[in-house]
């Protein structure tokens, strides 16, 4: 009888402790352990509980000079994974005019993104490549990826990522229809380098692009080698874009482009 009561007592204490932890305010806990969080992760406000926090104006620095800014980030922490010694998070991002969801596992040295999918405006690419701002890009990116992993200061070292850019337009060109739809496929290779392809997937594209994309193992340089050509009914503004992409040979621009990340 005493053993039965002791078990009930332990069970009651465990339930009380779990209930107490579930209700802990996220802002108090994160403030206490702020020094343990990587410096390239920032936010202005957090609400909710420690197992279901919501961050506002959340930013992730992808390089020394560039960051991704998210209006809100809704996170659900797996209690079962914590009991097994892992920090597993199910998240939903709400950037401007888009949504992203996925599952990530975090540790001190890096992260593992087992799955991710979502839709984002093309304009978000300007956060990574500010040079795009001068063209006034618009459209949307539909993407998904899996088995992505890396450390907090580099691009993914493993995994696969695919994206479709739909209805791409550049305001500066003032075209009567979108330039086209494009597919991007990326895959990590030996040594942590990232390689992939960009292809045009719309038959009526005003501007067609095809080529190979790569990032060096350090994740600091983005390179694209390929070609571009325009449709017969493309306006002069699009025709003129070819000469900006590279030297023209037999009506096609030969592209050799590189930028730092």
């Amino acid at each position: 009888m005493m053993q039965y009561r002791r078990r009930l007592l332990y069970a009651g204490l465990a339930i009380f402790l779990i209930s107490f932890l579930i209700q802990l305010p996220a802002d108090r806990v994160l403030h206490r352990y702020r020094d343990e969080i990587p410096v390239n992760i920032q936010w202005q406000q957090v609400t909710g509980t420690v197992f279901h926090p919501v961050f506002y104006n959340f930013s992730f620095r992808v390089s020394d000079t560039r960051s991704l800014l998210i209006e809100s980030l809704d996170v659900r922490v797996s209690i079962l994974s914590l009991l097994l010694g892992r920090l597993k998070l199910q998240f939903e991002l709400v950037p401007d005019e888009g949504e992203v969801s996925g599952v990530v596992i975090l540790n001190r040295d890096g992260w593992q993104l087992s799955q991710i999918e979502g839709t984002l405006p093309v304009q978000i690419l300007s956060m990574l490549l500010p040079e795009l701002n001068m063209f006034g890009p618009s459209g949307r990116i539909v993407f998904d990826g899996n088995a992505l992993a890396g450390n907090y200061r580099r691009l993914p070292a493993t995994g696969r990522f695919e994206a479709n850019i739909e209805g791409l337009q550049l305001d500066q060109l003032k075209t009567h229809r979108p330039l086209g739809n494009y597919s991007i496929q990326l895959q990590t290779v030996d040594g942590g380098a990232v390689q992939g392809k960009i292809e045009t997937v719309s038959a009526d594209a005003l501007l067609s692009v095809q080529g190979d994309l790569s990032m060096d193992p350090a994740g600091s340089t983005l390179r694209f080698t390929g070609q571009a050509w325009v449709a017969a009914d493309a306006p002069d503004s699009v025709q003129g874009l070819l000469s900006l992409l590279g030297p023209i040979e037999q009506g096609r621009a030969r592209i050799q482009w590189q930028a730092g990340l």
Side-chain angles (χ1 to χ4, degrees):
M1 187 59 134
M2 289 295 296
Q3 187 176 8
Y4 175 72
R5 290 180 177 176
R6 190 178 296 113
R7 289 177 179 174
L8 284 179
L9 177 62
Y10 291 156
L13 289 175
I15 293 173
F16 171 79
L17 181 59
I18 293 174
S19 299
F20 174 76
L21 291 175
I22 290 176
Q23 298 302 319
L24 279 176
D27 57 344
R28 295 183 182 180
V29 175
L30 290 172
H31 177 75
R32 183 179 181 87
Y33 294 98
R34 190 66 182 89
D35 293 340
E36 303 296 325
I37 299 173
V39 296
N40 56 331
I41 296 178
Q42 301 287 334
W43 60 83
Q44 290 188 359
Q45 182 184 6
V46 59
T47 62
T49 66
V50 68
F51 287 103
H52 186 189
V54 180
F55 299 85
Y56 297 94
N57 293 324
F58 181 91
S59 66
F60 179 80
R61 193 172 69 219
V62 295
S63 72
D64 292 337
T65 58
R66 297 170 187 174
S67 298
L68 291 176
L69 179 62
I70 305 299
E71 292 182 3
S72 69
L73 168 59
D74 189 308
V75 179
R76 294 181 183 272
V77 181
S78 171
I79 298 177
L80 178 59
S81 294
L82 276 180
L83 295 176
L84 296 175
R86 299 187 304 170
L87 179 55
K88 182 178 181 181
L89 311 175
Q90 181 178 348
F91 64 88
E92 293 182 7
L93 305 177
V94 184
D96 186 25
E97 299 181 15
E99 58 181 1
V100 182
S101 62
V103 177
V104 63
I105 298 174
L106 303 177
N107 55 53
R108 182 178 293 274
D109 298 323
W111 52 271
Q112 300 174 26
L113 193 57
S114 59
Q115 63 183 73
I116 185 172
E117 60 182 8
T119 302
L120 292 171
V122 168
Q123 294 92 315
I124 200 169
L125 293 177
S126 299
M127 295 183 182
L128 297 175
L129 300 172
E131 298 85 355
L132 292 176
N133 282 323
M134 63 180 294
F135 295 104
S138 61
R140 71 171 187 165
I141 307 171
V142 181
F143 63 91
D144 70 86
N146 58 51
L148 295 163
N151 65 46
Y152 295 107
R153 293 186 177 275
R154 300 293 182 191
L155 293 169
T158 63
R160 176 201 63 84
F161 183 85
E162 295 184 3
N164 286 324
I165 300 178
E166 301 177 349
L168 177 63
Q169 285 189 293
L170 301 178
D171 292 344
Q172 191 179 47
L173 300 182
K174 302 184 185 305
T175 56
H176 58 284
R177 68 173 189 264
L179 293 177
N181 300 334
Y182 307 90
S183 171
I184 302 174
Q185 301 179 14
L186 300 175
Q187 179 74 45
T188 57
V189 295
D190 294 340
V194 178
Q195 294 182 354
K197 294 183 177 296
I198 297 180
E199 298 177 326
T200 305
V201 295
S202 51
D204 62 344
L206 290 175
L207 174 67
S208 294
V209 179
Q210 184 179 40
D212 298 319
L213 192 66
S214 66
M215 302 177 194
D216 68 15
S220 59
T221 304
L222 177 66
R223 297 183 179 90
F224 178 75
T225 302
Q227 58 182 338
W229 63 97
V230 300
D233 63 339
D236 293 342
S237 59
V238 179
Q239 295 278 355
L241 186 61
L242 284 184
S243 60
L244 298 179
L245 296 176
I248 300 176
E249 299 176 357
Q250 298 180 346
R252 298 194 174 197
R254 181 165 49 85
I255 307 173
Q256 291 184 327
W257 175 79
Q258 177 176 307
L261 290 174

